[in-house]
Amino acid sequence: MSWFGQRQEPGADELEALPPFQCTEQEVQRWNDEWLQYLRSEWEFQLAPYTAYPDKPPLPDSPLDLMKLSFGFGWPIALYCDREALEGRRVMEMGCGCGNLGKLIARYTESYLGTDYSTLALQIARLVSPPSCTYVHVADRAGLTPFFGRIDTVISRFFWIHQNFALARQNLEFLALFLKPGGRLYADFFWPDPKVEQAIVFTPDRPLSKAHPSATFRYSREDVERLVAGHPFRILRETVSTEMQRRYVVLERRPAP
Ligand SMILES: C[S@@+](CC[C@H](N)C(=O)[O-])C[C@H]1O[C@@H](n2cnc3c(N)ncnc32)[C@H](O)[C@@H]1O
């Protein structure tokens, strides 16, 4: 094939960021395909049911210690969240994938709602999770409406790292529908360690890439402030972890004026 045959027109790799309720078949397929790739190496952990993890270790007080919590099979939980925002709470996960987090965390929460673009991942999540978990597609308005205003805590893992600015703003608008006033949103933005060689890292203003759903977007503190501006949230705190290459940000849902 000639060099010209492989050339892409400017913008050919760009994907428009649509609000969650307007998610298209293209977005579903893009992430279903990504999950088929992930499952090649991760199927053993992603397909293990919650019953394969009988333990219920106490949740540590510190979110950085929670990240290291292990259930004896698979990886440490790698979730940044405060214990009191999980125990006995109504929790929602944005970008829940195959329920890898829900099937472990739901044993501490009152209820657990997971939502995602990928129909494939959601189907696996339903099969591996306990009955207190509910999984609803992100574009299923009728399925999600009963949860509006009823969620105490929104968590996410390996999620905000893949959201550009346009999509992240749509996500905030969407999540504001679910959180009670005073409820918390825990976001895991990417913040690279300069000593680590990086794969594909974009600034948040770059469009989404069709070819690379798992590309990461780096958010500075200013980017996060710009993101939250105009939304009913305030920044409670942030923690930068060089080890995890993350800027963890805790937002609080402000009451309606
Ligand atoms: C890297 S996976 C992480 C899955 C899960 N949080 C975990 O830790 O196992 C990212 C997930 O987010 C979903 N996703 C990405 N952007 C999304 C969006 N804007 N709305 C809903 N789901 C999204 C993808 O379909 C994928 O399942």
Side-chain angles (χ1 to χ4, degrees):
M1 194 188 285
S2 74
W3 185 84
F4 289 107
Q6 295 175 42
R7 191 172 162 203
Q8 290 191 330
E9 293 303 319
D13 182 43
E14 292 177 12
L15 192 72
E16 190 188 355
L18 292 173
F21 286 132
Q22 291 169 34
C23 161
T24 65
E25 189 55 40
Q26 185 184 22
E27 206 56 53
V28 173
Q29 204 50 54
R30 178 173 176 258
W31 276 100
N32 278 354
D33 289 345
E34 200 72 349
W35 270 110
L36 287 169
Q37 289 301 322
Y38 290 162
L39 288 171
R40 290 169 73 92
S41 57
E42 297 180 5
W43 64 270
E44 200 181 351
F45 301 122
Q46 299 290 355
L47 300 188
Y50 72 99
T51 48
Y53 304 81
D55 297 347
K56 190 179 173 190
L59 295 179
D61 284 332
S62 145
L64 290 173
D65 289 341
L66 175 66
M67 305 208 35
K68 297 180 196 132
L69 188 70
S70 166
F71 289 76
F73 171 67
W75 312 287
I77 196 159
L79 171 68
Y80 182 96
C81 192
D82 293 295
R83 182 173 57 80
E84 61 272 20
L86 294 171
E87 276 177 346
R89 300 290 188 174
R90 297 177 64 88
V91 173
M92 172 177 184
E93 183 183 2
M94 183 73 179
C96 61
C98 299
N100 202 274
L101 194 51
K103 70 187 176 192
L104 300 174
I105 281 294
R107 64 198 65 190
Y108 302 95
T109 66
E110 183 189 317
S111 62
Y112 201 94
L113 167 68
T115 190
D116 201 283
Y117 277 150
S118 168
T119 48
L120 165 68
L122 287 170
Q123 188 55 23
I124 294 175
R126 292 182 190 109
L127 295 172
V128 300
S129 299
S132 59
C133 292
T134 308
Y135 293 98
V136 182
H137 192 266
V138 79
D140 179 355
R141 185 185 279 271
L144 288 172
T145 304
F147 298 92
F148 285 3
R150 309 214 51 208
I151 299 294
D152 297 305
T153 307
V154 171
I155 58 171
S156 41
R157 183 181 70 173
F158 311 123
F159 176 76
W160 293 90
I161 63 169
H162 301 306
Q163 312 296 305
N164 73 351
F165 201 77
L167 194 52
R169 286 186 71 85
Q170 316 269 24
N171 292 337
L172 279 189
E173 204 167 303
F174 175 78
L175 292 169
L177 297 171
F178 294 86
L179 273 169
K180 294 176 187 167
R184 288 182 173 196
L185 188 164
Y186 290 81
D188 62 332
F189 296 102
F190 188 66
W191 188 244
D193 176 351
K195 293 200 283 301
V196 175
E197 197 182 325
Q198 302 294 336
I200 303 171
V201 183
F202 298 134
T203 57
D205 291 295
R206 192 202 182 274
L208 296 170
S209 157
K210 267 188 207 158
H212 302 290
S214 295
T216 45
F217 295 88
R218 48 177 288 166
Y219 280 73
S220 65
R221 167 74 188 206
E222 291 69 32
D223 291 326
V224 175
E225 284 170 4
R226 200 159 52 96
L227 177 67
V228 173
H231 290 283
F233 289 99
R234 72 182 179 102
I235 300 175
L236 285 184
R237 65 171 200 265
E238 70 163 27
T239 303
V240 173
S241 164
T242 312
E243 187 190 347
M244 298 301 291
Q245 300 197 97
R246 292 288 188 275
R247 177 183 305 283
Y248 295 109
V249 178
V250 186
L251 302 179
E252 185 186 68
R253 172 73 164 96
R254 285 194 276 106

